[in-house]
Amino acid sequence: MANRVAVLGSLNVDTTYQVVRFPEPGETISAQQRSSAPGGKGANQAVAAARSGAKTYFIGAVGNDDEGKLMRQCLEDERIYTAHLTTDMNHGTGTALITLNSEGQNDIMVYGGANQAMTDAVLNGTDQVFEDIDFMIAQFETPQAVTLEAFKRAKAHGVMTILNPAPASEILPELLQYVDVIIPNETESEVLTGIKLTDQASMDQIADTFQRQGVKTVMITLGERGVYCAKGDDRQIIEPFLVKAVDPTAAGDTFIGSMTSQLNPDLSNLAEAITYAQRASSLTVQKYGAMPSIPMGFEVEEALNK
């Protein structure tokens, strides 16, 4: 049976400018190309889960605008359940401006809009969702207070919770008590713990820090170095699939969503799910855009079997 996943998170319409190099302060440069696509960490993770076969619910908010209609339709086109995607009459739909250079590196500026204005009201009437799901995912592009309430409800229903603390900001201390799995990247790990990530010993220190606060499983996505995983005392780095990246946007989101689609609720197949997710991410970075670059499950399986 397919995994059942709920994502509490952000939806953004992304506009990407492709440039040879990033501008210096005060400098004006020409963009080689401009494109727009649906995105947002929450939406990307939900789409990644759905495309890899998970029954997926989305909990979030959009504005009463064309961008909001676009984002709602995009999720519905992916067969994601949107009954709990609310319309905020006072704030616009989230947007992101992405600058992508010729080396495949990006800078991102985000307008939170309805994402950041979200309150616990988005959770009204979600009891049936929590009764149905195996996993709940959240990020930091929506208010932590709402995530805390959602994770409390998830744990009350025996649901496994996954936190992607991105973009990094100080974590509500109580929130970590309700987190089963935390997945930061290298930069976020350093910001959240104050420990500079240099080698596996420093990764172990970061994992210890989170585990002392109640999080049993810690993953750190390391880009071309793979994924560090600490499940209790079991510590390992799982090697990546090396490819030529053209756009890293949504790589981390693809990893989280696709991994959750494959993961057993008791985490008994964690290494296998991570390998699947890394293969999915390796496909994402070879295409431009956020949501359009996320692979289908059959594409991931074909790539794994090569």
Side-chain angles (χ1 to χ4, degrees), residues 8-297:
L8 168 69
S10 57
L11 308 98
N12 295 324
V13 176
D14 295 343
T15 299
T16 301
Y17 287 85
Q18 293 182 34
V19 297
V20 174
R21 60 176 177 82
F22 297 131
E24 299 295 330
E27 181 185 18
T28 299
I29 63 173
S30 296
Q32 298 171 304
Q33 191 171 334
R34 173 187 178 277
S35 60
S36 292
K41 288 185 178 298
N44 293 338
Q45 291 170 15
V47 168
R51 288 184 182 174
S52 280
K55 178 182 180 182
T56 308
Y57 298 88
F58 198 89
I59 302 171
V62 293
N64 184 32
D65 47 31
D66 289 341
E67 290 84 357
K69 295 181 179 69
L70 169 66
M71 292 306 304
R72 184 181 295 274
Q73 188 61 55
C74 286
L75 295 185
E76 291 175 353
D77 288 347
E78 302 288 341
R79 299 184 179 180
I80 294 169
Y81 293 82
T82 60
H84 301 288
L85 176 57
T86 61
T87 300
D88 185 329
M89 304 303 291
N90 300 312
H91 300 87
T93 300
T95 57
L97 177 61
I98 302 168
T99 308
L100 177 69
N101 73 11
S102 59
E103 297 177 354
Q105 300 296 314
N106 63 4
D107 282 339
I108 304 176
M109 292 176 286
V110 177
Y111 162 69
N115 296 317
Q116 283 296 327
M118 196 186 301
T119 69
D120 289 359
V122 299
L123 300 172
N124 290 346
T126 57
D127 286 348
Q128 186 175 351
V129 173
F130 287 106
E131 289 171 5
D132 186 49
I133 59 175
D134 306 299
F135 296 93
M136 178 156 212
I137 305 171
Q139 327 78 36
F140 279 176
E141 286 186 339
T142 53
Q144 287 189 44
V146 182
T147 299
L148 173 59
E149 178 59 29
F151 277 17
K152 284 182 177 178
R153 297 187 189 193
K155 297 314 299 176
H157 286 83
V159 172
M160 181 72 64
T161 57
I162 298 175
L163 178 64
N164 173 218
S169 61
E170 186 176 353
I171 302 179
L172 290 175
E174 189 182 0
L175 178 57
L176 291 178
Q177 299 173 28
Y178 297 92
V179 175
D180 293 305
V181 181
I182 192 166
I183 311 177
N185 64 20
E186 296 173 77
T187 302
E188 292 149 5
S189 298
E190 293 183 7
V191 170
L192 294 170
T193 65
I195 299 169
K196 185 166 182 59
L197 192 155
T198 55
D199 54 15
Q200 183 159 346
S202 61
M203 297 178 209
D204 290 340
Q205 285 184 289
I206 290 169
D208 290 340
T209 299
F210 284 122
Q211 288 180 346
R212 282 195 297 268
Q213 297 175 81
V215 184
K216 293 185 176 66
T217 301
V218 180
M219 296 181 209
I220 306 172
T221 54
L222 305 169
E224 62 183 19
R225 289 192 287 162
V227 175
Y228 168 87
C229 181
K231 181 184 176 187
D233 294 330
D234 182 13
R235 314 287 175 92
Q236 61 180 314
I237 294 176
I238 299 175
E239 297 297 320
F241 295 88
L242 295 178
V243 297
K244 181 173 175 53
V246 299
D247 184 357
T249 308
D253 298 330
T254 298
F255 175 84
I256 291 167
S258 60
M259 181 195 70
T260 306
S261 76
Q262 306 298 305
L263 197 57
N264 293 337
D266 62 0
L267 308 188
S268 58
N269 66 334
L270 186 57
E272 293 85 350
I274 288 174
T275 296
Y276 176 96
Q278 291 199 100
R279 197 57 174 128
S281 294
S282 78
L283 298 177
T284 294
V285 301
Q286 295 180 72
K287 295 181 180 179
Y288 289 104
M291 203 175 289
S293 69
I294 298 170
M296 301 296 293

